[in-house]
Amino acid sequence: MQPDDELCLCFHITKRKVTNYIRIEKPKVASQLSECGGAGTGCGWCRPYLAKLLEQSVSGDVDGSSEEISSDEYAANRSRYVRDGGGTPPAGATPVDP
Ligand code: FES
């Protein structure tokens, strides 16, 4: 994923926005990332990725360069997750592929 790709597709929050939030606000736990525009509070798909970004910030890899999934693959996996009953996106979220 690239910095300007959406990490939270429910609230249209980019990876860059989350990494900047981590850099500036220095959250202690991943759940605090919900204060970054509601990230992770929709379908829940992005929560493991939010936690991983926070872990990477502790290890000094704040750009998350070890994350090699493409944005298309990420969105497709999220669609599968929602279709399988993993969570419900809010109104206005990036649509789930049929
Ligand atoms: S993609 Fe972040 S809560 Fe749904």
Side-chain angles (χ1 to χ4, degrees), residues 8-10 40-46 78:
C8 182
L9 296 158
C10 286
T41 62
C43 71
W45 165 252
C46 63
R78 182 236 190 195

Side-chain angles (χ1 to χ4, degrees), residues 27-46:
K28 301 293 184 224
V29 294
S31 61
Q32 289 177 279
L33 295 176
S34 66
E35 296 168 19
C36 178
T41 62
C43 71
W45 165 252
C46 63

Side-chain angles (χ1 to χ4, degrees), residues 1-9 12-20 63 71:
M1 292 182 67
Q2 298 302 308
D4 289 324
D5 290 336
E6 288 185 359
L7 184 62
C8 182
L9 296 158
H12 310 287
I13 300 167
T14 63
K15 184 175 177 180
R16 184 187 309 276
K17 187 166 185 172
V18 174
T19 55
N20 282 336
D63 291 331
S71 60

